[in-house]
Amino acid sequence: MAAEFRNAVTWVWLALMAATLLSWALGVRAPVGEQALATAAVMVIAFVKVRFVGLYFMELRHAPSWLRLAFEAWVVIACAAVLALYGFAPRAA
Amino acid sequence: MRADPARAAGQNRPRGLPGEEGIWVLVLGDMVVFALLFGAFAYARAASSEAFTQAQQTLSVTLGAVNTLLLLTSSLFVAQGVHAARAGNRQGAEALLALGWLCGVGFVGIKVAEYAEKVRAGVSVLTNEFFMYYFFLTGLHLVHVLIGLGVLAYLYRRTRASELSTKDVVALESGASFWHLVDLLWIVLFPLIYLTK
C-alpha cells in the first residue's frame, strides 16, 4: 500500500496539513495590533490550499484548460472578494 | 468489461475531463454560491468586529482545525483510491474509499459534538448575527458532507461488486470530485469562521 502513496498527491497533502497548522498558529497567536494582517494571511493561505486541492486532488492539472481556468478564476476572485469586503466594510463605532 | 487503466506514459491520470461533465457544473455552481456566502460573512465580520470576536471565542478552534485535518486526509485517501482504481487495484481502491469515508464520519462526529455543546449552552441560529452565520454556513456544509458520505458509500459498494470498468472509474472520479469540493469548502470555512478577527 505504501507504494500507492509515493506520488505528488501525498506531498501536496503533507504541505496542506502543514499549512493548516500554520494558519491555526497565526490565527490564535496573532498579536492584537496585527489582527487584520493575520486575518488576511490566513485567508490567502486558505485559497492557496484550495488551489492545490483543485489542481492535485481534483486532477485539474490534467483537465481541459477551460475547466482549470474556471477553477483558478474562482480562487482569485473569491479570495479578492473576501479580502475586499473584509477590508472595506464600514467598522461599527 | 476489463479494467482499463487510463494511464498515459506510466503516469496515473484521467484522460481529459475527470468524471462526468455534469459533476463539474455542480461543483463550480456550488463554489460560486459559497463564494457569495464567504463574501457576505467577510463583510459582516468586519462590520461587527467586536460582537463577532466575542461570539467566536466560544468556538473550539482546536476542533475546527482537527476537522480540517480530517477532511484533508479523507481527500488524500479518496484521491489515492481513484488512482488505485485506475491502475486496476480494486482492493486498494476499496480500502482507501473506506478510510476516506471513516475520516468523513469523524468530521460529522466532531461537528455534532460542537453543535450539541452550543445547544446545551442555549445558543442557536437566533442568538446573534455571528451564530446565524455559523449555523447556516457550517450546517449547509454539513449537508454536503452527509451527501458526500452517501456518495462514497455507494462508490465503495460499487467497487466491491465487480471488476472495474471504465464507467466505474468515471463514476469514482465524479464522486471523488464532489468529495474534494466538500473538503475545499471547509478549507475556507475554518479560517473564515474560527480564525478571522
Side-chain angles (χ1 to χ4, degrees):
Chain A
M1 183 70 90
E4 330 283 82
F5 281 77
R6 275 192 216 117
N7 50 37
V9 170
T10 299
W11 288 113
V12 168
W13 169 78
L14 218 47
L16 292 176
M17 297 287 272
T20 303
L21 297 176
L22 172 66
S23 291
W24 184 358
L26 272 175
V28 168
R29 291 163 189 281
V32 176
E34 308 285 359
Q35 283 179 342
L37 195 59
T39 293
V42 299
M43 290 321 302
V44 168
I45 290 172
F47 282 100
V48 170
K49 286 160 77 180
V50 168
R51 183 176 181 265
F52 277 93
V53 168
L55 259 50
Y56 285 87
F57 286 14
M58 291 168 126
E59 300 181 303
L60 293 177
R61 274 191 311 158
H62 308 306
S65 37
W66 64 264
L67 179 58
R68 177 179 176 163
L69 282 174
F71 185 90
E72 302 245 40
W74 181 93
V75 172
V76 170
I77 295 170
C79 186
V82 164
L83 291 176
L85 287 163
Y86 174 82
F88 290 110
R91 263 70 176 160
Chain B
M1 275 199 280
R2 278 297 306 147
D4 183 10
R7 270 196 272 205
Q11 292 172 301
N12 189 307
R13 59 169 71 179
R15 292 201 206 113
L17 191 75
E20 306 264 4
E21 292 86 12
I23 196 66
W24 292 105
V25 175
L26 175 65
V27 166
L28 292 174
D30 224 2
M31 285 167 68
V32 169
V33 169
F34 268 89
L36 295 171
L37 296 172
F38 296 156
F41 181 88
Y43 186 89
R45 182 72 189 82
S48 313
S49 181
E50 273 184 36
F52 270 44
T53 299
Q54 254 191 15
Q56 187 194 54
Q57 311 279 21
T58 68
L59 296 181
S60 166
V61 177
T62 302
L63 289 183
V66 167
N67 263 352
T68 309
L69 299 175
L70 272 174
L71 279 188
L72 280 173
T73 305
S74 83
S75 267
L76 169 71
F77 286 138
V78 170
Q80 302 291 18
V82 171
H83 288 201
R86 247 187 242 132
N89 177 2
R90 195 151 66 97
Q91 282 175 328
E94 270 174 50
L96 289 162
L97 285 172
L99 285 169
W101 185 86
L102 285 171
C103 289
V105 169
F107 179 97
V108 173
I110 290 178
K111 210 76 215 108
V112 166
E114 279 186 276
Y115 284 174
E117 188 266 323
K118 286 288 167 276
V119 167
R120 274 196 306 270
V123 173
S124 78
V125 69
L126 301 172
T127 299
N128 58 39
E129 200 188 355
F130 177 84
F131 279 107
M132 178 197 76
Y133 275 107
Y134 170 77
F135 283 112
F136 183 70
L137 290 173
T138 64
L140 184 59
H141 177 261
L142 185 61
V143 168
H144 283 73
V145 174
L146 294 172
I147 292 171
L149 287 176
V151 168
L152 289 180
Y154 162 76
L155 291 173
Y156 172 80
R157 281 199 308 275
R158 183 168 166 167
T159 304
R160 270 180 79 85
S162 62
E163 287 303 314
L164 293 168
S165 67
T166 312
K167 274 176 67 171
D168 291 322
V169 173
V170 169
L172 278 166
E173 288 171 351
S174 301
S177 294
F178 182 80
W179 189 253
H180 298 314
L181 167 72
V182 168
D183 179 22
L184 74 85
L185 292 176
W186 183 259
I187 285 172
V188 178
L189 281 176
F190 165 60
L192 191 63
I193 294 175
Y194 292 76
L195 299 179
T196 58
K197 294 288 176 284

